[in-house]
Amino acid sequence: MSSDKKPPTERSPAKRVELLLQACRDIQYRQPDEAIEFARQAQRVAKAAGLREREIHAMRMVGLCLYAKHDFAAANAVFVRTLPLYRKLGDASGTSRALQNMGLALKGLGRYVEALAAFRQAETILRKQNDEAILTQVLLNIGSTYAVLDQNSDSLKAYVESLTIADRRDDHLMRAMAIGNIAEVYVNIGDDEKAIEWSRRSLELHRVNRDMMGVGLTLCNLGRVFRAMGQLDTALAYYTESLAVLSELHDRDGKARSMLYLSQLYFDRRAYVQATEFAQEAMEIFVSLQDIDREVDCLITLADAASKRKRGAEALALMKTAVVRAKKSDNYSLHINIERVLAEIAIQAKQQTAAIRHLKAAITLAEKHEVFRAASVA
């Protein structure tokens, strides 16, 4: 029985598309510009061959490469374009992935409320599909977004469910990540005993998995706990080890986080020159990564240090920059912290009326957005 259908070969459009996409994946985080070209070639080949689903997927890969470049706005624009295309095809899996990608890009832009909505839509689809492998990742994203919004009970709920699924699937990597994120919730709410317990569990698992990035970030969390407990020498040891691990990995984001925490620790020790040096170097990295929230955290630390060194004009200039940058983020804890520092600068300048105005603004923000952990610092 004869057939007009030809068997697939390496020169078939479908195979060429897959080879180009694999080439894109292989280098997307190391050479994102070159990876974009591979994805665009795949998109052109798929379009010419009428492979619509592959064409949309290649388009989304362009967005993922832009995300790898930390060009979150451009990446989000691509993901937004792919979403109705996946829906038109009736591709639920593609739709959920586009929504998840949108959520990540929106987080990068500081638009956490919108990011949470995108993740929640992806979650609904994944539950209907019973796709637990991707659901665990989305639940971690949901939890981390709730954490930024200071909704710690919702954050913990998402992390615990992710851990439950990871345990059921015997997924060692996701288990370690979920446990580490649970630890971070306890760090945020000030439950030091549980924070240490869960962090040490996470650290042990990351070491078994040989996930050195997980090791470095967990060491950072342990440093945060001991700093909060006032055990600054122990915190310094953890932060220093974290910085060494993440520097060796050439993880600029992780390295900058460790440096930011070190700057805050040196601030606690009244070593304001060292605090300034670490915060300045960390900020330069965060600016290059377009991490608005952590850039503002660095500006706040720099302003705090300047204020303590009786450099009021410098501190105020730094905070004016922080106010402008923070307008791009709906991390309300950050906005409250800005008002706190502005109040302290005003108090130092004996401007009591201005200080009261900033403190009232912090309280109003806390009540409106239910961000009471940050407000207690104000």
Side-chain angles (χ1 to χ4, degrees):
M1 184 175 178
S2 63
S3 172
D4 293 331
K5 185 176 179 181
K6 296 181 180 180
T9 67
E10 287 195 8
R11 294 183 179 274
S12 71
K15 184 65 175 178
R16 285 174 60 200
V17 168
E18 291 312 309
L19 289 172
L20 286 164
L21 289 176
Q22 187 56 54
C24 172
R25 294 185 199 99
D26 289 343
I27 63 171
Q28 72 182 92
Y29 289 103
R30 290 180 290 108
Q31 299 166 269
D33 288 322
E34 290 84 347
I36 287 171
E37 287 307 309
F38 283 127
R40 285 176 174 158
Q41 286 181 50
Q43 189 178 344
R44 289 193 291 270
V45 172
K47 183 176 182 178
L51 302 171
R52 185 59 171 156
E53 186 274 336
R54 293 287 83 190
E55 180 189 352
I56 300 168
H57 181 65
M59 185 190 305
R60 187 167 61 84
M61 282 300 300
V62 171
L64 289 170
C65 294
L66 290 166
Y67 180 83
K69 286 182 64 177
H70 297 270
D71 191 345
F72 302 123
N76 187 56
V78 172
F79 301 142
V80 168
R81 287 201 301 273
T82 65
L83 186 59
L85 301 177
Y86 278 124
R87 283 173 170 160
K88 188 174 180 180
L89 281 183
D91 184 344
S93 178
T95 301
S96 69
R97 288 176 185 274
L99 285 163
Q100 184 182 10
N101 297 152
M102 281 174 58
L104 290 169
L106 288 164
K107 278 186 72 177
L109 291 167
R111 292 157 58 182
Y112 297 102
V113 174
E114 293 174 73
L116 185 60
F119 288 138
R120 282 299 195 189
Q121 289 180 63
E123 176 197 8
T124 299
I125 295 169
L126 292 166
R127 289 190 189 280
K128 288 179 181 177
Q129 291 184 303
N130 198 30
D131 187 344
E132 290 192 333
I134 306 299
L135 180 59
T136 53
Q137 299 173 21
V138 171
L139 286 168
L140 289 184
N141 289 327
I142 288 170
S144 65
T145 310
Y146 272 128
V148 173
L149 296 171
D150 207 51
Q151 298 179 30
N152 290 300
S153 60
D154 289 318
S155 178
L156 187 60
K157 182 179 177 182
Y159 290 151
V160 168
E161 185 178 1
S162 181
L163 176 58
T164 301
I165 297 171
D167 282 338
R168 184 164 62 239
R169 292 173 50 81
D170 199 26
D171 186 331
H172 300 284
L173 292 174
M174 291 304 296
R175 180 187 294 133
M177 289 175 65
I179 288 172
N181 286 342
I182 289 170
E184 192 162 0
V185 173
Y186 288 122
V187 173
N188 290 339
I189 64 177
D191 190 330
D192 300 330
E193 186 177 336
K194 286 185 178 179
I196 292 171
E197 175 193 345
W198 284 84
S199 292
R200 285 179 172 161
R201 284 179 62 189
S202 174
L203 187 60
E204 181 182 352
L205 288 171
H206 282 309
R207 283 178 168 153
V208 168
N209 295 335
R210 297 182 179 179
D211 177 3
M212 296 313 293
M213 185 177 295
V215 168
L217 294 176
T218 305
L219 288 166
C220 232
N221 269 347
L222 281 164
R224 290 174 62 202
V225 180
F226 284 101
R227 177 191 168 217
M229 293 169 67
Q231 297 183 29
L232 301 186
D233 288 341
T234 304
L236 178 61
Y238 278 118
Y239 284 153
T240 303
E241 186 180 357
S242 170
L243 181 59
V245 170
L246 294 168
S247 296
E248 189 173 336
L249 287 175
H250 303 292
D251 176 13
R252 296 175 69 229
D253 176 60
K255 176 184 175 181
R257 288 196 217 181
S258 293
M259 294 177 75
L260 172 58
Y261 290 132
L262 272 167
S263 74
Q264 293 168 346
L265 177 66
Y266 281 119
F267 178 86
D268 290 347
R269 300 181 105 176
R270 300 181 182 179
Y272 302 126
V273 173
Q274 288 168 297
T276 298
E277 289 173 353
F278 275 106
Q280 185 65 48
E281 190 171 345
M283 186 174 73
E284 289 170 5
I285 296 173
F286 289 134
V287 168
S288 71
L289 297 176
Q290 299 190 48
D291 187 333
I292 295 169
D293 284 17
R294 292 195 175 93
E295 177 192 344
V296 173
D297 276 335
C298 290
L299 286 164
I300 289 171
T301 302
L302 288 166
D304 268 333
S307 180
K308 292 296 184 183
R309 296 167 75 186
K310 309 299 183 184
R311 298 181 177 182
E314 180 184 334
L316 191 57
L318 287 161
M319 289 311 299
K320 285 180 178 178
T321 303
V323 169
V324 172
R325 298 297 291 147
K327 286 179 180 178
K328 295 188 175 183
S329 173
D330 53 13
N331 179 346
Y332 300 111
S333 296
L334 208 60
H335 292 260
I336 291 167
N337 207 13
I338 286 172
E339 296 296 341
R340 172 192 65 81
V341 178
L342 287 169
E344 289 181 359
I345 292 171
I347 290 169
Q348 191 176 77
K350 302 188 185 313
Q351 297 173 352
Q352 303 302 323
T353 302
I356 291 170
R357 184 176 73 251
H358 288 301
L359 290 172
K360 284 183 176 178
I363 293 168
T364 300
L365 281 167
E367 290 175 342
K368 182 178 180 181
H369 301 289
E370 299 183 351
V371 187
F372 300 112
R373 173 174 56 87
S376 67
V377 184

